[in-house]
């Protein structure tokens, strides 16, 4: 009897929902597909309350999904791939076997930890991957460059702040089927996986998030526009990989458009009137490095030609944005 990874061992682990139904006649596969949907439903809705942090319902990702997740994350040799709730280890083992990555899985069920370690050895990647008996909330994620999850959705939501706190900007997070609450994925793909639920076949949805740099707060910079140095005082409000911004230049104010982050890469537009009354379009692009952003500003004043200027913004704990203008309203 072969499981989704073609080895048949997963079915021997006690107390675990396995999905091997290759012996089942074709006409009953539809019924199992429905069971699969119920399992997904169980993951989504009906896990026992006590299991919010610790539950051991095990449903392996099919091998086709493990491979698609590694491809979506563009896994390579230099990656450290982590699977939170690693089951029989196939996600990490596949990343090591097909893409030369290193990595580790963490798993609450000790029998699965043992199984994953022995399967990794059998596939010849035992020196590059390891499996740890641990609660996902206790895992140190700081060295991960790719994090995978196929977990109860509430568990994923509960992990979201940990992911955002510990992972470096640019780290890829990939999930099978479930999301991260209101954090929209950067990419998503749904496909029919014939090997899902032990060969019953079902749709699999995989999603990718790129951890964004943290840019919430006050940022200041200067640009030479129209022959004079202009000081920009901005306030940025971030929501995951998108944001909003407002800025004051002298006594004039403007709003950013289309502020986006992909890892540490930031871009946004700004059309505003600058003294002495010229409408200026700015296109900012840069790399966030902690408290600085370095890149370019393409600036086009009304009717003029576009100039590309070096742009260096610095984060500040204070802003001149709120200072009184001293101008009486007429
Ligand atoms: C749906 S299975 C996914 C297995 C594997 N990631 C895959 O895609 O094939 C979820 C796994 O997470 C484990 N798990 C659940 N809660 C956990 C927790 N709090 N800490 C560590 N592992 C957990 C379960 O025991 C189970 O093996």
């Amino acid at each position: 009897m072969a499981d989704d990874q073609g080895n048949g061992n997963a079915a021997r682990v006690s107390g675990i929902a396995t999905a091997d139904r290759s012996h089942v006649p074709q006409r009953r596969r539809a019924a199992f597909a429905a069971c699969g949907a119920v399992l997904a439903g169980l993951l989504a809705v009906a896990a026992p309350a006590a299991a919010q942090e610790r539950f051991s319902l095990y449903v392996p990702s099919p091998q086709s999904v493990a491979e698609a997740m590694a491809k979506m994350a563009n896994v390579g040799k230099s990656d450290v791939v982590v699977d939170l709730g690693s089951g029989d280890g196939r996600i990490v083992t596949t990343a090591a076997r097909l893409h030369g990555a290193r990595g580790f899985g963490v798993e609450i069920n000790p029998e699965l930890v043992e199984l994953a370690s022995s399967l990794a050895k059998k596939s010849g990647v035992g020196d590059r991957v390891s499996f740890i008996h641990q609660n996902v909330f206790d895992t140190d994620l700081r060295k991960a460059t790719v994090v995978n999850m196929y977990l109860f959705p509430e568990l994923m939501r509960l992990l979201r702040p940990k992911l955002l706190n510990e992972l470096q900007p640019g780290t890829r997070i990939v999930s099978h089927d479930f999301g991260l609450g209101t954090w929209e994925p950067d990419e998503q793909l749904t496909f029919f996986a014939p090997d899902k639920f032990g060969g019953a076949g079902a749709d699999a949805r995989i999603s990718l998030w790129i951890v964004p740099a943290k840019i919430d707060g006050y940022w200041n910079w200067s640009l030479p526009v129209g022959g004079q140095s202009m000081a920009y005082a901005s306030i940025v409000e971030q929501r995951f990989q998108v944001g909003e911004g407002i800025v004051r230049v002298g006594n004039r104010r403007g709003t950013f458009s289309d502020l986006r982050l992909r890892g540490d890469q930031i871009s946004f537009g700004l059309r505003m009137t600058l003294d002495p009354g010229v409408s200026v379009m700015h296109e900012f692009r840069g790399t966030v490095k902690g408290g600085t952003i370095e890149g370019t500003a393409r600036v086009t004043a009304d009717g003029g030609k576009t100039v590309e200027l070096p742009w260096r913004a610095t984060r500040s704990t204070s802003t001149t944005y709120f200072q009184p203008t001293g101008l009486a309203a007429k």
Side-chain angles (χ1 to χ4, degrees):
M1 231 172 18
D3 71 353
D4 290 327
Q5 206 179 32
N7 55 53
N9 288 326
R12 289 188 215 119
V13 177
S14 64
I16 291 167
T18 57
D20 183 353
R21 298 184 188 97
S22 53
H23 58 291
V24 173
Q26 192 63 36
R27 66 180 189 284
R28 293 184 60 200
R29 294 269 168 98
F32 279 118
C35 287
V38 172
L39 271 178
L42 274 173
L43 273 170
V45 189
Q52 285 199 3
E53 275 195 57
R54 186 189 190 285
F55 82 109
S56 22
L57 182 60
Y58 169 53
V59 181
S61 295
Q63 186 57 30
S64 64
V65 172
E67 289 176 21
M69 287 170 82
K71 198 170 163 200
M72 182 174 250
N74 197 19
V75 169
K77 280 191 174 58
S78 56
D79 277 315
V80 177
V81 175
V82 173
D83 188 18
L84 296 178
S86 48
D88 69 1
R90 64 185 59 198
I91 300 284
V92 177
T93 301
T94 298
R97 205 164 43 79
L98 300 185
H99 303 283
R102 289 174 298 126
F104 63 93
V106 292
E107 172 55 56
I108 205 84
N109 181 328
E111 290 181 59
L112 284 169
V113 175
E114 264 182 46
L115 175 64
S117 305
S118 84
L119 291 176
K121 272 185 207 130
K122 272 188 206 155
S123 348
V125 294
D127 57 336
R128 293 213 298 286
V129 305
S130 58
F131 296 92
I132 307 161
H133 180 215
Q134 194 175 52
N135 186 334
V136 289
F137 287 96
D138 299 333
T139 306
D140 183 347
L141 294 174
R142 287 170 302 174
K143 292 210 167 86
T145 60
V146 178
V147 173
N148 295 273
M149 284 177 290
Y150 181 26
L151 289 172
F152 177 45
E154 196 170 10
L155 192 54
M156 290 193 36
R157 173 62 188 87
L158 291 169
L159 282 167
R160 193 173 85 190
K162 180 174 168 68
L163 298 167
L164 285 164
N165 273 343
E166 290 182 29
L167 298 175
Q168 293 300 314
T171 302
R172 293 90 85 201
I173 301 171
V174 198
S175 85
H176 175 192
D177 277 352
F178 304 116
L180 282 167
T182 55
W183 183 7
E184 292 292 332
D186 294 278
E187 286 170 39
Q188 199 161 61
L189 178 69
T190 302
F191 61 95
F192 183 76
D195 48 346
K196 192 155 173 166
F197 302 132
D203 276 353
R205 189 182 66 183
I206 56 173
S207 310
L208 171 75
W209 294 261
I210 312 286
V211 174
K214 293 185 175 67
I215 54 154
D216 222 41
Y218 303 145
W219 292 88
N220 301 324
W221 65 89
S222 300
L223 284 178
V225 184
Q228 58 175 314
S229 175
M230 301 282 201
Y232 293 66
S234 79
I235 303 176
V236 175
E237 292 163 289
Q238 177 176 11
R239 180 110 184 118
F240 309 116
Q241 70 275 61
V242 294
E244 294 177 273
I246 52 175
V247 67
R248 175 173 173 175
V249 186
N251 284 333
R252 299 186 182 265
R253 292 170 211 266
T255 53
F256 296 172
S257 56
D258 204 22
L259 190 156
R260 291 185 180 280
L261 283 152
R262 193 165 169 99
D264 59 3
Q265 300 299 300
I266 185 171
S267 61
F268 59 91
L270 167 67
R271 180 179 284 286
M272 69 177 291
T273 302
L274 294 178
D275 287 334
V278 184
S279 171
V280 179
M281 182 61 203
H282 309 68
E283 290 166 77
F284 294 97
R285 266 174 207 288
T287 306
V288 185
K289 296 173 188 160
T292 60
I293 304 174
E294 284 179 14
T296 56
R298 283 168 59 81
V299 178
T300 316
D302 257 356
K305 65 174 192 215
T306 300
V307 288
E308 190 166 295
L309 303 168
W311 171 50
R312 187 172 193 279
T314 52
R315 188 192 276 284
S316 171
T317 51
S318 61
T319 181
T320 55
Y321 185 88
F322 302 112
Q323 276 181 3
T325 61
L327 298 178
K330 291 187 184 149

